[in-house]
Amino acid sequence: MTLTQKTRKPIYKIGHCCQVAPTNEGRKLPTTPSQSQTSRFIAAVGAYAPLLRLERAAAAKALTFSGLGGRPSGRRAVAGWDEDALTLAVEASRALPQPEAVTFASTSAPFIERSQATLLVDALALDPSVRTGDVAGSRRCAVSALRDALLGRGDTLIAAGEKRPATAGSSQHLFDGDGGAAAFVSDRGAAQLLGHASLSHDLVDLYASPERPQSYAYEERFVRDTAIGKVIAPTIKAACAAAGVAPSEIARAAVHEPLAGCWREISRLTGVTAPNIAADLAQAVGDLGAAHALFAFAVACAGARKGDLVLLAGFGSGCDAMVFRLTGEMPGAREAAALLSKGVAFDDYMRFLSLTGAVQLDWGVRSEFEQKAQATVLERYGRDMIGFVGGRDADGNVQFPKSRIPVRPGATMPEQLEDVRLADCAARIVSVTADRLNFTPDPPFWFGLVQFDNGARVMMEFTDGDGRGFSVGDAVRPLLRIKSRDARRGFRTYFWKAAPADRPTIEG
Amino acid sequence: MATGIKDKVAVIGMGCTSFGEHWNKGPEDLMVDAFVEAIADAGIEKSQIEAAWMGNALDDINVGNSALPLAHALRLRGIPVSRVENMCATGSEALRAASYAVAAGAVDIALAVGVEKLKDTGYGGLPLRTKGLANDLWMPYGSAPGSFAQLAGAYAARHGIEKSDLKRAMAHVSWKSHQNAALNPKAHLRKPVDVETILKAPMIADPLGLFDCCGVSDGAACAIVTTPDIAKGLGIGNPVTVKAIQLCASHGWELQYGEWDGSYVANTRQAAKRAYAEAGVEAPRRDLSVTEVHDCFSITELVTMEDLNLSDEGRAPFDILDGRFDRAGAQPCQIDGGLKCFGHPVGASGLRMAYEVYTQLLGRAGDRQRGTVDLGLVHNLGGAPFNSIAAVSILGRLQ
C-alpha cells in the first residue's frame, strides 16, 4: 500500500511550535518564527578580546593601490599566533562558575574530530563529569546553544571563540575580529529570559567549507535586504511579542548584524529604538562570529540598569532572538565592557597578514623543527598541562610539574602531591629575555622564569608584551595559549604563557 | 672514605684540531687529526690504549649515536669504547670517565675524545628539536642565548647594577677573547673587535648582542691519560696530573623551587667547592695561574668569575673592567680565546679547555704563554643556568 502525502504523519518538527508536513506542493516553509516563554536566567557573562587591535584605516591605506579594504573605520582585534578559538573561549570563561554542562561554539574550531568542549573542561580544570558538546554550523550557533540552555535544565556554560581565516583584501579580513565570549545559564541570575523566537533560513550571505576555509561572501545589498527583511526583523518582532513587551521598551540591543550599518533599517522595521551594542562592538574589535552576540550582550548589560529589557539576537542561517529583563548587576559585564578600551593598537599591515595567516612568510631553517605531539604523553600529562595543575607536597611546597619525589630539599622518597591549579595565581618575573634567535611566528620570543606567590616557579613563555616588554620583578598572569603547532599533521598542544598583569589603555 | 683522584692520573698527551667551519672535514677527519697529535705527544703506541670514551653531544645532527664512530675512525680494535653525553659538559665527561678508569686501576692507559660536527646543518648548528616528550608540553623552546641572557637581568636586579654598566663589562669579556684568539692559530674567530663594535652589534637575546655569543664550530680534542708511574716510565719526569674533576647536575631546584634568583649558576659553585677541596686549593685567586671557563656567552663568564670565587659577589663587572682577567691581568681567563673565539664544538669544548691548560702548564703556548703556570682550572657548563651540569677540573704538575 502506498500512503498518500496527506495521510502521512508529520515526520519532523522545526522550532517549538511549527510542525511542517510535506505536501503535494512540496516542502512548506515556515513563514513566522517559532515562539515560547521560559523563566531561566543568564547568571554571569564573560568576554575576551586579544591584545592587538589593527587600525582598519592603516590596512585600507596599505590596500589603496587596489581599491580593496572595505570600510576604513574602527579597529579589529587580532589574535596572536598562539591563540585560537579554543584559547579565546577559555579566556572568556575563566571567571564563570562550575557548570553541569559545557557547550563550545565556534565556526573556526581548531579540531573537527576532537572535542573543544572537552579540552575546555580540562583547561578550566572543571569536574570531568561535566556534560560536553560542541556546536558549529553558523555564527549563530552560540546563541542557539544559549537558547537551548535557557530552555533546558541545569547550570550550563556556553563558551564561544572565533578566529576565522580570511583572504587578504576581502572585506571579511578587516570586518571580522578575533575574540571569545561566554554565558552561564542557571535557574537564577541577573537576566531573566522573558521570551524568544527562532527562525531557520538558509540565506547564503557567506559560507566556509573544508574546501574553502576562508569565508566567501555574496553581494552585500542582496544580503542586507534579505537578512533584515526576511530573517532578522521578523524574529525580533516575534521575540518581543513572545516576551510580551513592546519593541520600543527595549533599553539595550545586542543584535548581530550581517553587515555593518544594518541597524537603522532593523530598528525601523521592528520598532526597537535602543542602541545596538553589537554594532559598536564590531567597530571596536570586529565581527566576532559565534562570539559576537554573546560579547555584545555582556557589554549591553554593563550599560543597563536593573529592570531594563535587553534584546539578544544571533544571526546566521536564520536568527535566534531573546528578550531579557535585568534583575540586578550582571557579573562579568563591566569587565567585558572594559576590554574594549584595553589593548594595543597597531598599523603594521604586513604583521597583520602574517598573524592572520593571509601570507606565509619563509622563516628560514630555524623554523624547520619537529613538533609532533605523542598521544600517550598527552594522556599521561596533558590534563596537568592544559589545566596548569602543579602539586603540593607534604611540607606545603608547591611545584610544577609534579614529580614522584618532590623538588623540596630534604625530600628523599616519593610522595603523593595534592593538585594545585596555577592558572589563577599571581606571579612575578625572576628572569627574562627577548630571544631573537629562536623561531617564533611573531618575534621576539620572550621567555623566562616565573615565581608564583604560592611558591611554585615555572619557566614560561611570555605573551602580550607589545610595546612594553618584560622586566625582572614584573607582575604577570597566566593565559592559555597554543604551545606547539604541528602544521604538517594539523595538531596543536596548549599551555599557559605569562602576560602582563594589566593591559594598557588604547590611545585615541 | 674517598680520597679523590688528585695526582692519581697523569695526562701524557693531548691533541686539538683547529675549530671552525670545516666544510672539507667530517667527524672522522676531526677525530683522527686530534688523535694523531695526542698520540705523538704521548709517545705511545695505539695498541697500548686499553679503553676509550667518546664525548659527543648532538648525535642526531652530526657524528651519530654510540661510540662506534670513534672506534671506527681510530680503528680501536678489541677494547671497550663508550660514548658519553652531558650537553656542553660532554668533553669534561669524557676526560672524567677516562681518568676514573685509570685512577680505579681498571686500565693503565685510556683515551678521551670530544668531537662535534655542527656546520653541516646549514645554520648555527644547535638544533631545536622536540620528540613529543612531557617537557615539550610546557617548556619554552628558548635558544641557548635566550637561556643565558636571563642571567643578565637577574644579576643586574640582584646587585643593583645599571644594565648599561653590565653591558660594558660583558663587552670587555668579548673584547678580551677576541684579543686573545688573535694569537691562537687554532681559534675559529681570530679578528680583534673593538668595544664599540661589540656594544652596537645586533641584538640576539636581550641584552646579548652578536659579539656576546660564542661561535659554534666543528672540531675535536682528545687526551691520553695514565698513571703517574707509567708516565715516568715513559720518560715524563714531571707529568701534568689531574688534581680534581668534579661535576654537579641540577635536580630541578632552580626551575622548581623558589630560592634561586637567576643571577648565578648554583652547580658551578657546588662543583668548584668540591674541586678546590679535592685539589687542595685553599685560595683560588692566589693558586690558579690560568683559567678556561665556559664563556658560551659573555654574561656566563662574568657570573662564573663569582661562582668560582675568583671575584667577590657583585664585583665581577668591576674586576673585568679593571683587566683582572685579561691576558696580562692578575688572573688570565680564556688565554686561548675561549668558547667565544676558539669556538664551541659542543662535545669537544671541555677537552679543548683542558688542552689549553695542559699547553700552558708545559710552557708550549708560544705567543700567548702565561709565564710559568703551576695550576689551571677548567670550567665546563652544560645546559642552561636554570638546568645545568657544571664540571670543574683542575690540572697541575705532579711536582
PDB file of all heavy atoms in Angstrom, chain A residues 336-354:
ATOM      1  N   ALA A 336      33.768  42.891  30.716  1.00  0.00           N
ATOM      2  CA  ALA A 336      33.656  42.750  29.265  1.00  0.00           C
ATOM      3  C   ALA A 336      33.712  44.115  28.586  1.00  0.00           C
ATOM      4  O   ALA A 336      34.416  44.305  27.579  1.00  0.00           O
ATOM      5  CB  ALA A 336      32.364  42.025  28.908  1.00  0.00           C
ATOM      6  N   ALA A 337      32.993  45.056  29.123  1.00  0.00           N
ATOM      7  CA  ALA A 337      32.967  46.395  28.530  1.00  0.00           C
ATOM      8  C   ALA A 337      34.349  47.046  28.596  1.00  0.00           C
ATOM      9  O   ALA A 337      34.778  47.742  27.662  1.00  0.00           O
ATOM     10  CB  ALA A 337      31.926  47.252  29.233  1.00  0.00           C
ATOM     11  N   ALA A 338      35.046  46.810  29.704  1.00  0.00           N
ATOM     12  CA  ALA A 338      36.366  47.425  29.874  1.00  0.00           C
ATOM     13  C   ALA A 338      37.375  46.910  28.858  1.00  0.00           C
ATOM     14  O   ALA A 338      38.332  47.608  28.500  1.00  0.00           O
ATOM     15  CB  ALA A 338      36.867  47.164  31.293  1.00  0.00           C
ATOM     16  N   LEU A 339      37.167  45.680  28.391  1.00  0.00           N
ATOM     17  CA  LEU A 339      38.108  45.092  27.424  1.00  0.00           C
ATOM     18  C   LEU A 339      38.206  45.901  26.142  1.00  0.00           C
ATOM     19  O   LEU A 339      39.237  45.901  25.469  1.00  0.00           O
ATOM     20  CB  LEU A 339      37.649  43.676  27.059  1.00  0.00           C
ATOM     21  CG  LEU A 339      38.138  42.524  27.923  1.00  0.00           C
ATOM     22  CD1 LEU A 339      37.430  41.247  27.502  1.00  0.00           C
ATOM     23  CD2 LEU A 339      39.649  42.366  27.775  1.00  0.00           C
ATOM     24  N   LEU A 340      37.130  46.598  25.809  1.00  0.00           N
ATOM     25  CA  LEU A 340      37.104  47.287  24.517  1.00  0.00           C
ATOM     26  C   LEU A 340      38.142  48.393  24.435  1.00  0.00           C
ATOM     27  O   LEU A 340      38.629  48.722  23.353  1.00  0.00           O
ATOM     28  CB  LEU A 340      35.705  47.845  24.253  1.00  0.00           C
ATOM     29  CG  LEU A 340      34.587  46.802  24.253  1.00  0.00           C
ATOM     30  CD1 LEU A 340      33.256  47.441  23.897  1.00  0.00           C
ATOM     31  CD2 LEU A 340      34.911  45.671  23.285  1.00  0.00           C
ATOM     32  N   SER A 341      38.456  48.977  25.552  1.00  0.00           N
ATOM     33  CA  SER A 341      39.421  50.079  25.528  1.00  0.00           C
ATOM     34  C   SER A 341      40.789  49.652  26.031  1.00  0.00           C
ATOM     35  O   SER A 341      41.678  50.478  26.214  1.00  0.00           O
ATOM     36  CB  SER A 341      38.901  51.234  26.386  1.00  0.00           C
ATOM     37  OG  SER A 341      38.704  50.802  27.715  1.00  0.00           O
ATOM     38  N   LYS A 342      40.960  48.357  26.260  1.00  0.00           N
ATOM     39  CA  LYS A 342      42.244  47.850  26.746  1.00  0.00           C
ATOM     40  C   LYS A 342      42.923  47.028  25.662  1.00  0.00           C
ATOM     41  O   LYS A 342      42.358  46.046  25.186  1.00  0.00           O
ATOM     42  CB  LYS A 342      42.040  46.974  27.992  1.00  0.00           C
ATOM     43  CG  LYS A 342      41.507  47.726  29.197  1.00  0.00           C
ATOM     44  CD  LYS A 342      42.572  48.607  29.787  1.00  0.00           C
ATOM     45  CE  LYS A 342      42.106  49.251  31.079  1.00  0.00           C
ATOM     46  NZ  LYS A 342      43.125  50.155  31.633  1.00  0.00           N
ATOM     47  N   GLY A 343      44.107  47.447  25.291  1.00  0.00           N
ATOM     48  CA  GLY A 343      44.828  46.711  24.270  1.00  0.00           C
ATOM     49  C   GLY A 343      45.911  47.567  23.663  1.00  0.00           C
ATOM     50  O   GLY A 343      46.287  48.613  24.208  1.00  0.00           O
ATOM     51  N   VAL A 344      46.403  47.120  22.547  1.00  0.00           N
ATOM     52  CA  VAL A 344      47.458  47.849  21.840  1.00  0.00           C
ATOM     53  C   VAL A 344      47.051  47.973  20.370  1.00  0.00           C
ATOM     54  O   VAL A 344      46.849  46.962  19.697  1.00  0.00           O
ATOM     55  CB  VAL A 344      48.810  47.114  21.944  1.00  0.00           C
ATOM     56  CG1 VAL A 344      49.847  47.765  21.046  1.00  0.00           C
ATOM     57  CG2 VAL A 344      49.297  47.095  23.394  1.00  0.00           C
ATOM     58  N   ALA A 345      46.898  49.206  19.928  1.00  0.00           N
ATOM     59  CA  ALA A 345      46.571  49.431  18.527  1.00  0.00           C
ATOM     60  C   ALA A 345      47.839  49.335  17.685  1.00  0.00           C
ATOM     61  O   ALA A 345      48.915  49.724  18.136  1.00  0.00           O
ATOM     62  CB  ALA A 345      45.930  50.804  18.357  1.00  0.00           C
ATOM     63  N   PHE A 346      47.711  48.785  16.497  1.00  0.00           N
ATOM     64  CA  PHE A 346      48.881  48.725  15.616  1.00  0.00           C
ATOM     65  C   PHE A 346      48.436  48.925  14.170  1.00  0.00           C
ATOM     66  O   PHE A 346      47.271  48.723  13.819  1.00  0.00           O
ATOM     67  CB  PHE A 346      49.649  47.423  15.816  1.00  0.00           C
ATOM     68  CG  PHE A 346      49.029  46.204  15.183  1.00  0.00           C
ATOM     69  CD1 PHE A 346      49.618  45.581  14.094  1.00  0.00           C
ATOM     70  CD2 PHE A 346      47.857  45.663  15.681  1.00  0.00           C
ATOM     71  CE1 PHE A 346      49.068  44.445  13.521  1.00  0.00           C
ATOM     72  CE2 PHE A 346      47.288  44.528  15.113  1.00  0.00           C
ATOM     73  CZ  PHE A 346      47.893  43.924  14.032  1.00  0.00           C
ATOM     74  N   ASP A 347      49.391  49.324  13.365  1.00  0.00           N
ATOM     75  CA  ASP A 347      49.057  49.641  11.974  1.00  0.00           C
ATOM     76  C   ASP A 347      49.969  48.919  10.981  1.00  0.00           C
ATOM     77  O   ASP A 347      50.082  49.328   9.836  1.00  0.00           O
ATOM     78  CB  ASP A 347      49.113  51.157  11.745  1.00  0.00           C
ATOM     79  CG  ASP A 347      50.478  51.727  12.097  1.00  0.00           C
ATOM     80  OD1 ASP A 347      51.410  50.948  12.375  1.00  0.00           O
ATOM     81  OD2 ASP A 347      50.606  52.963  12.100  1.00  0.00           O
ATOM     82  N   ASP A 348      50.642  47.888  11.457  1.00  0.00           N
ATOM     83  CA  ASP A 348      51.568  47.134  10.606  1.00  0.00           C
ATOM     84  C   ASP A 348      50.772  46.088   9.821  1.00  0.00           C
ATOM     85  O   ASP A 348      50.488  44.998  10.317  1.00  0.00           O
ATOM     86  CB  ASP A 348      52.633  46.479  11.492  1.00  0.00           C
ATOM     87  CG  ASP A 348      53.717  45.785  10.682  1.00  0.00           C
ATOM     88  OD1 ASP A 348      53.463  45.465   9.503  1.00  0.00           O
ATOM     89  OD2 ASP A 348      54.805  45.552  11.227  1.00  0.00           O
ATOM     90  N   TYR A 349      50.435  46.450   8.590  1.00  0.00           N
ATOM     91  CA  TYR A 349      49.566  45.570   7.799  1.00  0.00           C
ATOM     92  C   TYR A 349      50.241  44.239   7.493  1.00  0.00           C
ATOM     93  O   TYR A 349      49.593  43.191   7.477  1.00  0.00           O
ATOM     94  CB  TYR A 349      49.170  46.279   6.504  1.00  0.00           C
ATOM     95  CG  TYR A 349      48.166  45.517   5.680  1.00  0.00           C
ATOM     96  CD1 TYR A 349      46.890  45.252   6.172  1.00  0.00           C
ATOM     97  CD2 TYR A 349      48.489  45.058   4.401  1.00  0.00           C
ATOM     98  CE1 TYR A 349      45.959  44.546   5.419  1.00  0.00           C
ATOM     99  CE2 TYR A 349      47.565  44.364   3.635  1.00  0.00           C
ATOM    100  CZ  TYR A 349      46.298  44.111   4.150  1.00  0.00           C
ATOM    101  OH  TYR A 349      45.380  43.418   3.397  1.00  0.00           O
ATOM    102  N   MET A 350      51.544  44.265   7.281  1.00  0.00           N
ATOM    103  CA  MET A 350      52.228  43.009   6.980  1.00  0.00           C
ATOM    104  C   MET A 350      52.222  42.077   8.190  1.00  0.00           C
ATOM    105  O   MET A 350      52.045  40.862   8.049  1.00  0.00           O
ATOM    106  CB  MET A 350      53.675  43.292   6.536  1.00  0.00           C
ATOM    107  CG  MET A 350      54.439  42.044   6.126  1.00  0.00           C
ATOM    108  SD  MET A 350      53.596  41.040   4.878  1.00  0.00           S
ATOM    109  CE  MET A 350      53.885  42.036   3.428  1.00  0.00           C
ATOM    110  N   ARG A 351      52.391  42.643   9.360  1.00  0.00           N
ATOM    111  CA  ARG A 351      52.310  41.804  10.564  1.00  0.00           C
ATOM    112  C   ARG A 351      50.906  41.223  10.696  1.00  0.00           C
ATOM    113  O   ARG A 351      50.727  40.064  11.069  1.00  0.00           O
ATOM    114  CB  ARG A 351      52.670  42.643  11.793  1.00  0.00           C
ATOM    115  CG  ARG A 351      52.748  41.826  13.081  1.00  0.00           C
ATOM    116  CD  ARG A 351      53.018  42.708  14.277  1.00  0.00           C
ATOM    117  NE  ARG A 351      53.074  41.948  15.521  1.00  0.00           N
ATOM    118  CZ  ARG A 351      52.937  42.481  16.730  1.00  0.00           C
ATOM    119  NH1 ARG A 351      52.771  43.793  16.855  1.00  0.00           N
ATOM    120  NH2 ARG A 351      52.982  41.729  17.798  1.00  0.00           N
ATOM    121  N   PHE A 352      49.925  42.042  10.386  1.00  0.00           N
ATOM    122  CA  PHE A 352      48.536  41.575  10.430  1.00  0.00           C
ATOM    123  C   PHE A 352      48.328  40.413   9.458  1.00  0.00           C
ATOM    124  O   PHE A 352      47.713  39.398   9.794  1.00  0.00           O
ATOM    125  CB  PHE A 352      47.608  42.750  10.105  1.00  0.00           C
ATOM    126  CG  PHE A 352      46.194  42.358   9.820  1.00  0.00           C
ATOM    127  CD1 PHE A 352      45.382  41.837  10.806  1.00  0.00           C
ATOM    128  CD2 PHE A 352      45.654  42.529   8.540  1.00  0.00           C
ATOM    129  CE1 PHE A 352      44.066  41.479  10.541  1.00  0.00           C
ATOM    130  CE2 PHE A 352      44.344  42.177   8.267  1.00  0.00           C
ATOM    131  CZ  PHE A 352      43.554  41.653   9.264  1.00  0.00           C
ATOM    132  N   LEU A 353      48.849  40.550   8.249  1.00  0.00           N
ATOM    133  CA  LEU A 353      48.717  39.478   7.266  1.00  0.00           C
ATOM    134  C   LEU A 353      49.353  38.193   7.784  1.00  0.00           C
ATOM    135  O   LEU A 353      48.819  37.100   7.614  1.00  0.00           O
ATOM    136  CB  LEU A 353      49.367  39.895   5.945  1.00  0.00           C
ATOM    137  CG  LEU A 353      48.705  41.027   5.166  1.00  0.00           C
ATOM    138  CD1 LEU A 353      49.488  41.314   3.889  1.00  0.00           C
ATOM    139  CD2 LEU A 353      47.259  40.700   4.827  1.00  0.00           C
ATOM    140  N   SER A 354      50.500  38.351   8.412  1.00  0.00           N
ATOM    141  CA  SER A 354      51.200  37.167   8.925  1.00  0.00           C
ATOM    142  C   SER A 354      50.446  36.538  10.093  1.00  0.00           C
ATOM    143  O   SER A 354      50.266  35.320  10.142  1.00  0.00           O
ATOM    144  CB  SER A 354      52.616  37.566   9.356  1.00  0.00           C
ATOM    145  OG  SER A 354      53.299  36.452   9.879  1.00  0.00           O
TER     146      SER A 354
END
